[in-house]
PDB file of all heavy atoms in Angstrom:
ATOM      1  N   THR O 263      11.869  21.998  23.403  1.00 96.00           N
ATOM      2  CA  THR O 263      11.369  20.796  24.068  1.00 96.00           C
ATOM      3  C   THR O 263      11.030  19.752  23.016  1.00 96.00           C
ATOM      4  O   THR O 263      10.364  20.058  22.013  1.00 96.00           O
ATOM      5  CB  THR O 263      10.114  21.107  24.900  1.00 96.00           C
ATOM      6  OG1 THR O 263      10.426  22.114  25.862  1.00 96.00           O
ATOM      7  CG2 THR O 263       9.610  19.855  25.615  1.00 96.00           C
ATOM      8  N   ILE O 264      11.484  18.526  23.225  1.00 97.00           N
ATOM      9  CA  ILE O 264      11.238  17.459  22.250  1.00 97.00           C
ATOM     10  C   ILE O 264       9.783  17.002  22.339  1.00 97.00           C
ATOM     11  O   ILE O 264       9.284  16.657  23.414  1.00 97.00           O
ATOM     12  CB  ILE O 264      12.177  16.266  22.498  1.00 97.00           C
ATOM     13  CG1 ILE O 264      13.635  16.691  22.275  1.00 97.00           C
ATOM     14  CG2 ILE O 264      11.816  15.093  21.581  1.00 97.00           C
ATOM     15  CD1 ILE O 264      14.642  15.594  22.588  1.00 97.00           C
ATOM     16  N   ASP O 265       9.093  17.004  21.199  1.00 97.00           N
ATOM     17  CA  ASP O 265       7.717  16.503  21.114  1.00 97.00           C
ATOM     18  C   ASP O 265       7.676  15.042  20.692  1.00 97.00           C
ATOM     19  O   ASP O 265       6.920  14.250  21.251  1.00 97.00           O
ATOM     20  CB  ASP O 265       6.912  17.343  20.106  1.00 97.00           C
ATOM     21  CG  ASP O 265       6.769  18.789  20.552  1.00 97.00           C
ATOM     22  OD1 ASP O 265       6.604  19.017  21.761  1.00 97.00           O
ATOM     23  OD2 ASP O 265       6.840  19.680  19.683  1.00 97.00           O
ATOM     24  N   ARG O 266       8.475  14.695  19.691  1.00 96.00           N
ATOM     25  CA  ARG O 266       8.492  13.312  19.198  1.00 96.00           C
ATOM     26  C   ARG O 266       9.887  12.974  18.711  1.00 96.00           C
ATOM     27  O   ARG O 266      10.613  13.833  18.189  1.00 96.00           O
ATOM     28  CB  ARG O 266       7.516  13.113  18.022  1.00 96.00           C
ATOM     29  CG  ARG O 266       6.046  13.186  18.363  1.00 96.00           C
ATOM     30  CD  ARG O 266       5.216  12.901  17.112  1.00 96.00           C
ATOM     31  NE  ARG O 266       5.317  11.499  16.711  1.00 96.00           N
ATOM     32  CZ  ARG O 266       4.988  11.047  15.494  1.00 96.00           C
ATOM     33  NH1 ARG O 266       4.563  11.889  14.564  1.00 96.00           N
ATOM     34  NH2 ARG O 266       5.086   9.758  15.204  1.00 96.00           N
ATOM     35  N   VAL O 267      10.244  11.715  18.851  1.00 96.00           N
ATOM     36  CA  VAL O 267      11.479  11.181  18.261  1.00 96.00           C
ATOM     37  C   VAL O 267      11.057  10.047  17.338  1.00 96.00           C
ATOM     38  O   VAL O 267      10.519   9.028  17.784  1.00 96.00           O
ATOM     39  CB  VAL O 267      12.450  10.666  19.344  1.00 96.00           C
ATOM     40  CG1 VAL O 267      13.714  10.106  18.694  1.00 96.00           C
ATOM     41  CG2 VAL O 267      12.792  11.776  20.338  1.00 96.00           C
ATOM     42  N   ILE O 268      11.285  10.240  16.040  1.00 96.00           N
ATOM     43  CA  ILE O 268      10.813   9.285  15.033  1.00 96.00           C
ATOM     44  C   ILE O 268      12.019   8.594  14.412  1.00 96.00           C
ATOM     45  O   ILE O 268      12.863   9.235  13.781  1.00 96.00           O
ATOM     46  CB  ILE O 268       9.994  10.006  13.947  1.00 96.00           C
ATOM     47  CG1 ILE O 268       8.855  10.808  14.596  1.00 96.00           C
ATOM     48  CG2 ILE O 268       9.441   9.011  12.932  1.00 96.00           C
ATOM     49  CD1 ILE O 268       8.174  11.769  13.639  1.00 96.00           C
ATOM     50  N   HIS O 269      12.098   7.285  14.584  1.00 94.00           N
ATOM     51  CA  HIS O 269      13.217   6.508  14.042  1.00 94.00           C
ATOM     52  C   HIS O 269      12.875   6.016  12.646  1.00 94.00           C
ATOM     53  O   HIS O 269      11.890   5.310  12.439  1.00 94.00           O
ATOM     54  CB  HIS O 269      13.530   5.330  14.965  1.00 94.00           C
ATOM     55  CG  HIS O 269      14.070   5.754  16.298  1.00 94.00           C
ATOM     56  ND1 HIS O 269      15.418   5.832  16.567  1.00 94.00           N
ATOM     57  CD2 HIS O 269      13.437   6.143  17.437  1.00 94.00           C
ATOM     58  CE1 HIS O 269      15.600   6.252  17.806  1.00 94.00           C
ATOM     59  NE2 HIS O 269      14.413   6.437  18.370  1.00 94.00           N
ATOM     60  N   LEU O 270      13.706   6.418  11.660  1.00 92.00           N
ATOM     61  CA  LEU O 270      13.505   6.049  10.257  1.00 92.00           C
ATOM     62  C   LEU O 270      14.756   5.348   9.747  1.00 92.00           C
ATOM     63  O   LEU O 270      15.417   5.812   8.824  1.00 92.00           O
ATOM     64  CB  LEU O 270      13.195   7.303   9.420  1.00 92.00           C
ATOM     65  CG  LEU O 270      11.975   8.125   9.868  1.00 92.00           C
ATOM     66  CD1 LEU O 270      11.950   9.467   9.158  1.00 92.00           C
ATOM     67  CD2 LEU O 270      10.695   7.349   9.590  1.00 92.00           C
ATOM     68  N   GLY O 271      15.068   4.198  10.355  1.00 88.00           N
ATOM     69  CA  GLY O 271      16.290   3.493   9.977  1.00 88.00           C
ATOM     70  C   GLY O 271      17.507   4.238  10.488  1.00 88.00           C
ATOM     71  O   GLY O 271      17.619   4.562  11.671  1.00 88.00           O
ATOM     72  N   PHE O 272      18.434   4.562   9.566  1.00 88.00           N
ATOM     73  CA  PHE O 272      19.653   5.281   9.955  1.00 88.00           C
ATOM     74  C   PHE O 272      19.341   6.695  10.415  1.00 88.00           C
ATOM     75  O   PHE O 272      19.993   7.251  11.291  1.00 88.00           O
ATOM     76  CB  PHE O 272      20.627   5.314   8.767  1.00 88.00           C
ATOM     77  CG  PHE O 272      21.869   6.110   9.040  1.00 88.00           C
ATOM     78  CD1 PHE O 272      22.896   5.589   9.814  1.00 88.00           C
ATOM     79  CD2 PHE O 272      22.016   7.399   8.531  1.00 88.00           C
ATOM     80  CE1 PHE O 272      24.051   6.327  10.070  1.00 88.00           C
ATOM     81  CE2 PHE O 272      23.159   8.145   8.790  1.00 88.00           C
ATOM     82  CZ  PHE O 272      24.174   7.605   9.557  1.00 88.00           C
ATOM     83  N   GLU O 273      18.309   7.294   9.834  1.00 94.00           N
ATOM     84  CA  GLU O 273      17.941   8.668  10.150  1.00 94.00           C
ATOM     85  C   GLU O 273      16.979   8.711  11.334  1.00 94.00           C
ATOM     86  O   GLU O 273      16.131   7.842  11.502  1.00 94.00           O
ATOM     87  CB  GLU O 273      17.290   9.323   8.932  1.00 94.00           C
ATOM     88  CG  GLU O 273      16.726  10.701   9.191  1.00 94.00           C
ATOM     89  CD  GLU O 273      15.799  11.153   8.072  1.00 94.00           C
ATOM     90  OE1 GLU O 273      15.950  10.667   6.930  1.00 94.00           O
ATOM     91  OE2 GLU O 273      14.912  11.977   8.355  1.00 94.00           O
ATOM     92  N   VAL O 274      17.101   9.757  12.143  1.00 96.00           N
ATOM     93  CA  VAL O 274      16.157  10.021  13.229  1.00 96.00           C
ATOM     94  C   VAL O 274      15.632  11.441  13.057  1.00 96.00           C
ATOM     95  O   VAL O 274      16.413  12.395  12.907  1.00 96.00           O
ATOM     96  CB  VAL O 274      16.804   9.863  14.615  1.00 96.00           C
ATOM     97  CG1 VAL O 274      15.818  10.262  15.722  1.00 96.00           C
ATOM     98  CG2 VAL O 274      17.272   8.427  14.821  1.00 96.00           C
ATOM     99  N   ARG O 275      14.313  11.574  13.057  1.00 97.00           N
ATOM    100  CA  ARG O 275      13.660  12.885  12.937  1.00 97.00           C
ATOM    101  C   ARG O 275      13.166  13.287  14.329  1.00 97.00           C
ATOM    102  O   ARG O 275      12.409  12.554  14.974  1.00 97.00           O
ATOM    103  CB  ARG O 275      12.494  12.805  11.962  1.00 97.00           C
ATOM    104  CG  ARG O 275      11.706  14.105  11.823  1.00 97.00           C
ATOM    105  CD  ARG O 275      10.502  13.901  10.919  1.00 97.00           C
ATOM    106  NE  ARG O 275       9.694  15.108  10.870  1.00 97.00           N
ATOM    107  CZ  ARG O 275       9.448  15.811   9.781  1.00 97.00           C
ATOM    108  NH1 ARG O 275       9.943  15.412   8.629  1.00 97.00           N
ATOM    109  NH2 ARG O 275       8.691  16.889   9.827  1.00 97.00           N
ATOM    110  N   VAL O 276      13.615  14.449  14.772  1.00 97.00           N
ATOM    111  CA  VAL O 276      13.240  14.948  16.099  1.00 97.00           C
ATOM    112  C   VAL O 276      12.366  16.186  15.912  1.00 97.00           C
ATOM    113  O   VAL O 276      12.812  17.196  15.347  1.00 97.00           O
ATOM    114  CB  VAL O 276      14.486  15.296  16.943  1.00 97.00           C
ATOM    115  CG1 VAL O 276      14.070  15.700  18.357  1.00 97.00           C
ATOM    116  CG2 VAL O 276      15.458  14.125  16.977  1.00 97.00           C
ATOM    117  N   GLU O 277      11.116  16.124  16.376  1.00 97.00           N
ATOM    118  CA  GLU O 277      10.189  17.246  16.299  1.00 97.00           C
ATOM    119  C   GLU O 277      10.189  17.970  17.636  1.00 97.00           C
ATOM    120  O   GLU O 277      10.109  17.342  18.702  1.00 97.00           O
ATOM    121  CB  GLU O 277       8.790  16.746  15.951  1.00 97.00           C
ATOM    122  CG  GLU O 277       8.737  16.068  14.585  1.00 97.00           C
ATOM    123  CD  GLU O 277       7.350  15.543  14.233  1.00 97.00           C
ATOM    124  OE1 GLU O 277       6.467  15.583  15.118  1.00 97.00           O
ATOM    125  OE2 GLU O 277       7.165  15.110  13.086  1.00 97.00           O
ATOM    126  N   LEU O 278      10.276  19.300  17.586  1.00 97.00           N
ATOM    127  CA  LEU O 278      10.466  20.084  18.807  1.00 97.00           C
ATOM    128  C   LEU O 278       9.561  21.317  18.833  1.00 97.00           C
ATOM    129  O   LEU O 278       9.156  21.830  17.779  1.00 97.00           O
ATOM    130  CB  LEU O 278      11.922  20.547  18.926  1.00 97.00           C
ATOM    131  CG  LEU O 278      13.017  19.478  18.788  1.00 97.00           C
ATOM    132  CD1 LEU O 278      13.692  19.591  17.439  1.00 97.00           C
ATOM    133  CD2 LEU O 278      14.045  19.593  19.916  1.00 97.00           C
ATOM    134  N   SER O 279       9.308  21.806  20.037  1.00 96.00           N
ATOM    135  CA  SER O 279       8.611  23.075  20.247  1.00 96.00           C
ATOM    136  C   SER O 279       9.608  24.084  20.786  1.00 96.00           C
ATOM    137  O   SER O 279      10.392  23.774  21.696  1.00 96.00           O
ATOM    138  CB  SER O 279       7.464  22.916  21.249  1.00 96.00           C
ATOM    139  OG  SER O 279       6.453  22.086  20.728  1.00 96.00           O
ATOM    140  N   LEU O 280       9.570  25.302  20.240  1.00 94.00           N
ATOM    141  CA  LEU O 280      10.454  26.367  20.698  1.00 94.00           C
ATOM    142  C   LEU O 280       9.753  27.189  21.773  1.00 94.00           C
ATOM    143  O   LEU O 280       8.525  27.124  21.933  1.00 94.00           O
ATOM    144  CB  LEU O 280      10.864  27.251  19.514  1.00 94.00           C
ATOM    145  CG  LEU O 280      11.551  26.517  18.352  1.00 94.00           C
ATOM    146  CD1 LEU O 280      11.807  27.476  17.194  1.00 94.00           C
ATOM    147  CD2 LEU O 280      12.848  25.870  18.811  1.00 94.00           C
ATOM    148  N   GLY O 281      10.517  28.009  22.452  1.00 85.00           N
ATOM    149  CA  GLY O 281       9.963  28.788  23.547  1.00 85.00           C
ATOM    150  C   GLY O 281       8.899  29.779  23.127  1.00 85.00           C
ATOM    151  O   GLY O 281       8.028  30.143  23.917  1.00 85.00           O
ATOM    152  N   ASP O 282       8.943  30.245  21.876  1.00 82.00           N
ATOM    153  CA  ASP O 282       7.960  31.218  21.410  1.00 82.00           C
ATOM    154  C   ASP O 282       6.683  30.555  20.894  1.00 82.00           C
ATOM    155  O   ASP O 282       5.803  31.216  20.363  1.00 82.00           O
ATOM    156  CB  ASP O 282       8.559  32.104  20.308  1.00 82.00           C
ATOM    157  CG  ASP O 282       9.098  31.281  19.132  1.00 82.00           C
ATOM    158  OD1 ASP O 282       8.860  30.059  19.095  1.00 82.00           O
ATOM    159  OD2 ASP O 282       9.755  31.871  18.249  1.00 82.00           O
ATOM    160  N   GLY O 283       6.611  29.226  21.033  1.00 84.00           N
ATOM    161  CA  GLY O 283       5.423  28.500  20.587  1.00 84.00           C
ATOM    162  C   GLY O 283       5.533  27.923  19.196  1.00 84.00           C
ATOM    163  O   GLY O 283       4.682  27.131  18.777  1.00 84.00           O
ATOM    164  N   ASP O 284       6.568  28.313  18.438  1.00 90.00           N
ATOM    165  CA  ASP O 284       6.753  27.759  17.087  1.00 90.00           C
ATOM    166  C   ASP O 284       7.288  26.327  17.172  1.00 90.00           C
ATOM    167  O   ASP O 284       7.844  25.911  18.191  1.00 90.00           O
ATOM    168  CB  ASP O 284       7.727  28.626  16.288  1.00 90.00           C
ATOM    169  CG  ASP O 284       7.114  29.955  15.880  1.00 90.00           C
ATOM    170  OD1 ASP O 284       5.869  30.050  15.916  1.00 90.00           O
ATOM    171  OD2 ASP O 284       7.871  30.881  15.551  1.00 90.00           O
ATOM    172  N   SER O 285       7.129  25.613  16.066  1.00 94.00           N
ATOM    173  CA  SER O 285       7.638  24.244  15.980  1.00 94.00           C
ATOM    174  C   SER O 285       8.783  24.185  14.981  1.00 94.00           C
ATOM    175  O   SER O 285       8.878  24.998  14.056  1.00 94.00           O
ATOM    176  CB  SER O 285       6.524  23.292  15.535  1.00 94.00           C
ATOM    177  OG  SER O 285       5.483  23.272  16.479  1.00 94.00           O
ATOM    178  N   THR O 286       9.653  23.197  15.157  1.00 96.00           N
ATOM    179  CA  THR O 286      10.724  22.954  14.209  1.00 96.00           C
ATOM    180  C   THR O 286      11.073  21.476  14.255  1.00 96.00           C
ATOM    181  O   THR O 286      10.446  20.696  14.994  1.00 96.00           O
ATOM    182  CB  THR O 286      11.952  23.829  14.515  1.00 96.00           C
ATOM    183  OG1 THR O 286      12.866  23.776  13.402  1.00 96.00           O
ATOM    184  CG2 THR O 286      12.658  23.371  15.778  1.00 96.00           C
ATOM    185  N   TRP O 287      12.040  21.076  13.463  1.00 96.00           N
ATOM    186  CA  TRP O 287      12.495  19.688  13.506  1.00 96.00           C
ATOM    187  C   TRP O 287      13.950  19.600  13.117  1.00 96.00           C
ATOM    188  O   TRP O 287      14.486  20.491  12.438  1.00 96.00           O
ATOM    189  CB  TRP O 287      11.612  18.799  12.627  1.00 96.00           C
ATOM    190  CG  TRP O 287      11.697  19.028  11.138  1.00 96.00           C
ATOM    191  CD1 TRP O 287      11.200  20.092  10.454  1.00 96.00           C
ATOM    192  CD2 TRP O 287      12.314  18.174  10.170  1.00 96.00           C
ATOM    193  NE1 TRP O 287      11.445  19.958   9.105  1.00 96.00           N
ATOM    194  CE2 TRP O 287      12.124  18.783   8.907  1.00 96.00           C
ATOM    195  CE3 TRP O 287      12.974  16.955  10.246  1.00 96.00           C
ATOM    196  CZ2 TRP O 287      12.597  18.217   7.722  1.00 96.00           C
ATOM    197  CZ3 TRP O 287      13.441  16.377   9.063  1.00 96.00           C
ATOM    198  CH2 TRP O 287      13.254  17.007   7.837  1.00 96.00           C
ATOM    199  N   VAL O 288      14.564  18.532  13.577  1.00 97.00           N
ATOM    200  CA  VAL O 288      15.990  18.306  13.333  1.00 97.00           C
ATOM    201  C   VAL O 288      16.167  16.896  12.792  1.00 97.00           C
ATOM    202  O   VAL O 288      15.510  15.950  13.239  1.00 97.00           O
ATOM    203  CB  VAL O 288      16.802  18.482  14.631  1.00 97.00           C
ATOM    204  CG1 VAL O 288      18.264  18.099  14.414  1.00 97.00           C
ATOM    205  CG2 VAL O 288      16.683  19.910  15.140  1.00 97.00           C
ATOM    206  N   GLN O 289      17.050  16.777  11.818  1.00 96.00           N
ATOM    207  CA  GLN O 289      17.390  15.478  11.243  1.00 96.00           C
ATOM    208  C   GLN O 289      18.764  15.086  11.770  1.00 96.00           C
ATOM    209  O   GLN O 289      19.741  15.816  11.582  1.00 96.00           O
ATOM    210  CB  GLN O 289      17.408  15.595   9.709  1.00 96.00           C
ATOM    211  CG  GLN O 289      17.673  14.307   8.975  1.00 96.00           C
ATOM    212  CD  GLN O 289      17.718  14.555   7.461  1.00 96.00           C
ATOM    213  OE1 GLN O 289      18.189  15.583   6.995  1.00 96.00           O
ATOM    214  NE2 GLN O 289      17.225  13.608   6.702  1.00 96.00           N
ATOM    215  N   THR O 290      18.843  13.959  12.446  1.00 95.00           N
ATOM    216  CA  THR O 290      20.117  13.511  12.996  1.00 95.00           C
ATOM    217  C   THR O 290      20.295  12.024  12.720  1.00 95.00           C
ATOM    218  O   THR O 290      19.431  11.397  12.085  1.00 95.00           O
ATOM    219  CB  THR O 290      20.205  13.827  14.505  1.00 95.00           C
ATOM    220  OG1 THR O 290      21.538  13.576  14.968  1.00 95.00           O
ATOM    221  CG2 THR O 290      19.207  12.996  15.307  1.00 95.00           C
ATOM    222  N   THR O 291      21.396  11.463  13.189  1.00 94.00           N
ATOM    223  CA  THR O 291      21.649  10.047  12.947  1.00 94.00           C
ATOM    224  C   THR O 291      21.171   9.221  14.139  1.00 94.00           C
ATOM    225  O   THR O 291      21.024   9.736  15.257  1.00 94.00           O
ATOM    226  CB  THR O 291      23.145   9.780  12.729  1.00 94.00           C
ATOM    227  OG1 THR O 291      23.848  10.099  13.942  1.00 94.00           O
ATOM    228  CG2 THR O 291      23.680  10.624  11.583  1.00 94.00           C
ATOM    229  N   ARG O 292      20.988   7.950  13.909  1.00 93.00           N
ATOM    230  CA  ARG O 292      20.584   7.051  14.989  1.00 93.00           C
ATOM    231  C   ARG O 292      21.640   7.026  16.091  1.00 93.00           C
ATOM    232  O   ARG O 292      21.323   7.057  17.290  1.00 93.00           O
ATOM    233  CB  ARG O 292      20.360   5.643  14.423  1.00 93.00           C
ATOM    234  CG  ARG O 292      19.919   4.619  15.465  1.00 93.00           C
ATOM    235  CD  ARG O 292      19.659   3.285  14.791  1.00 93.00           C
ATOM    236  NE  ARG O 292      20.850   2.788  14.110  1.00 93.00           N
ATOM    237  CZ  ARG O 292      20.851   1.782  13.229  1.00 93.00           C
ATOM    238  NH1 ARG O 292      19.713   1.193  12.897  1.00 93.00           N
ATOM    239  NH2 ARG O 292      21.982   1.381  12.674  1.00 93.00           N
ATOM    240  N   GLY O 293      22.913   6.997  15.694  1.00 93.00           N
ATOM    241  CA  GLY O 293      23.990   6.961  16.675  1.00 93.00           C
ATOM    242  C   GLY O 293      24.006   8.207  17.555  1.00 93.00           C
ATOM    243  O   GLY O 293      24.190   8.123  18.777  1.00 93.00           O
TER     244      GLY O 293
END
Side-chain angles (χ1 to χ4, degrees):
T263 302
I264 296 176
D265 296 322
R266 291 183 70 198
V267 179
I268 305 168
H269 293 265
L270 303 168
F272 176 77
E273 173 194 335
V274 175
R275 177 185 176 119
V276 185
E277 298 179 352
L278 308 105
S279 294
L280 303 175
D282 56 9
D284 288 342
S285 297
T286 192
W287 68 288
V288 174
Q289 183 182 36
T290 189
T291 64
R292 181 177 59 193

